[in-house]
Amino acid sequence: MQAVKSRSHGLRPALNLLSKPTVKRSWNRLLYKLRDEVQTIQQQGSDVIPSISCKDIHTAPKSFQDELRKRGVAVIRGVIPESEARAYKEEIEAYVHANPQTRAFPPQDPQVFELYWSQAQMRARLHPNMLQKQRFLMRFWHSHAADAKISPAHPLTYADHLRIRQPGDAGFALAPHVDGGSVERWKRPGLEGTPSSRLQGATPGYAQALTAVLHPHLQLDKTMVNVPRIAPGDYVAWHCDSVHAVDKLHQGQGDSSVMYIPACPATEENASYVRRQKDAFFVGVPPPDFPGGEGETNHVGRSAEADLQRSVDAQASQSLGFQPLDSNDAHLTHGEQSVLNAANRIFGF
Ligand SMILES: [Fe+2]
């Protein structure tokens, strides 16, 4: 399961103000620090990724909070009860069986399924525990500027697909990469302009690849470690700027099944995406970020608005843009109120 995939960014104006010597000094400090971190990761292996039980999250020790902020990765255990998580997978397998037209990769031995709107996925995304933990995680990355038009305390749901990887599979493997955008995150005016300069490994509109040749200082052969051992219903969250990968070979004894369940902070751009995502839900086609096609338009048993109205609470409904976000909280900054009001207008409220 995946979280915290932000489509928002706020670094470009600051970068524009930095002089060349300042950037060079900063780069050298970074390289120096990286050497220490490579050693730490080598010594600790998977234990470098902090983990905590779902029930302890609101009394999380400072050590966990510090490591989460530093690593941008964490395991929260037991977010979904194990029996419920196992039932989700069985339900999805039945959904695929009932809908043999389901697109999957690789076609001859499917491991990743282009499913977004199964009832099990919707229940997992909108589970009260899930939304509560996403809200907790998002608050670790907030702006101190009172007029910043972003609200991490109001996560929006980003519908993603899923995988059921069988033992021995080597067809679905992903080299180290960063999901959350590419050269468009760092260049003004993004894709509309001329990308005259080049950012290594970056192709506009795609995840950014990282290799030993292009990023030797990351020492990927030493710093890419497996997540700690996890159980059904655990939530593995990584920040959208974290480098991650999928093992070349699945060496486990059982299937390695993952529902990707990202969240993003409330911003105008994200609200616009969620609005279009909602339209995709009604029709049953893949969300706008994913390959098109008819998707689940003709799938038997896909989730429908009536299911949501029966089964989800207000916070879940808000995260999908089905209800207005609450902008009346007295603790909100001016910027948060402003962006929530803008998001509600985008949602049509
Ligand atoms: Fe990824």
Side-chain angles (χ1 to χ4, degrees):
M1 298 181 179
Q2 175 187 17
V4 197
K5 180 185 269 189
S6 165
R7 297 167 61 80
S8 178
H9 44 75
L11 294 175
R12 290 177 305 186
L15 284 175
N16 288 345
L17 298 176
L18 298 178
S19 67
K20 195 171 177 180
T22 304
V23 172
K24 193 172 179 181
R25 280 197 300 275
S26 173
W27 173 249
N28 287 333
R29 282 198 306 275
L30 177 64
L31 294 187
Y32 188 77
K33 186 68 181 166
L34 264 177
R35 283 202 297 268
D36 287 347
E37 289 299 333
V38 170
Q39 276 196 343
T40 301
I41 294 169
Q42 272 196 294
Q43 286 164 1
Q44 296 189 23
S46 299
D47 291 340
V48 80
I49 296 172
S51 67
I52 193 168
S53 168
C54 175
K55 63 182 171 46
D56 296 330
I57 203 82
H58 293 295
T59 54
K62 186 172 182 303
S63 57
F64 172 83
Q65 298 188 38
D66 289 346
E67 283 301 300
L68 167 59
R69 191 175 282 106
K70 180 173 182 176
R71 305 292 170 199
V73 186
V75 178
I76 303 181
R77 300 190 182 282
V79 170
I80 305 288
E82 181 166 341
S83 59
E84 200 171 334
R86 288 188 182 279
Y88 289 161
K89 194 190 74 168
E90 288 165 11
E91 199 177 312
I92 286 166
E93 287 171 333
Y95 184 59
V96 172
H97 185 73
N99 296 284
Q101 74 273 36
T102 298
R103 285 207 315 202
F105 173 84
Q108 71 281 9
D109 184 21
Q111 313 288 324
V112 179
F113 297 85
E114 284 191 36
L115 295 174
Y116 309 89
W117 307 124
S118 70
Q119 295 186 34
Q121 281 168 291
M122 292 301 282
R123 285 205 303 279
R125 283 175 193 138
L126 302 177
H127 194 289
N129 278 0
M130 180 66 67
L131 294 163
Q132 190 185 52
K133 273 51 192 181
Q134 288 178 335
R135 184 177 285 221
F136 169 83
L137 291 164
M138 297 287 265
R139 284 181 165 168
F140 278 80
W141 289 275
H142 67 275
S143 174
H144 291 288
D147 59 350
K149 292 186 176 176
I150 181 170
S151 180
H154 295 79
L156 300 177
T157 293
Y158 180 95
D160 211 324
H161 55 349
L162 59 90
R163 87 171 193 224
I164 302 178
R165 194 181 191 197
Q166 301 301 331
D169 173 68
F172 174 66
L174 294 172
H177 65 281
V178 179
D179 283 338
S182 185
V183 69
E184 65 268 33
R185 302 257 335 257
W186 305 99
K187 272 187 68 67
R188 182 177 290 179
L191 291 179
E192 292 79 34
T194 54
S196 54
S197 60
R198 305 181 69 162
L199 188 64
Q200 59 267 49
T203 303
Y206 292 87
Q208 182 177 356
L210 294 103
T211 67
V213 171
L214 296 175
H215 302 274
H217 305 102
L218 292 178
Q219 300 191 55
L220 294 165
D221 58 327
K222 297 174 180 168
T223 54
M224 295 301 293
V225 296
N226 287 98
V227 295
R229 188 175 182 82
I230 57 169
D234 290 351
Y235 189 54
V236 180
W238 65 91
H239 189 277
C240 59
D241 289 336
S242 301
V243 182
H244 58 284
V246 176
D247 278 333
K248 288 178 182 165
L249 176 67
H250 174 31
Q251 301 186 57
Q253 301 297 309
D255 61 87
S256 167
S257 300
V258 179
M259 275 189 196
Y260 298 103
I261 307 184
C264 51
T267 66
E268 287 191 45
E269 186 182 6
N270 290 343
S272 296
Y273 182 84
V274 167
R275 172 61 192 255
R276 290 184 289 134
Q277 178 179 268
K278 187 166 69 168
D279 294 341
F281 166 79
F282 287 133
V283 180
V285 294
D289 269 3
F290 294 88
E294 73 169 28
E296 294 155 85
T297 305
N298 295 308
H299 274 44
V300 177
R302 76 176 158 88
S303 185
E305 187 179 8
D307 301 326
L308 301 184
Q309 287 176 343
R310 277 198 300 272
S311 60
V312 303
D313 62 17
Q315 191 185 342
S317 193
Q318 290 170 22
S319 77
L320 284 169
F322 282 81
Q323 278 189 37
L325 297 159
D326 182 8
S327 61
N328 294 318
D329 187 334
H331 296 97
L332 296 175
T333 65
H334 171 70
E336 286 174 316
Q337 282 183 332
S338 172
V339 76
L340 294 178
N341 288 331
N344 287 336
R345 285 194 294 275
I346 290 167
F347 292 153
F349 300 116

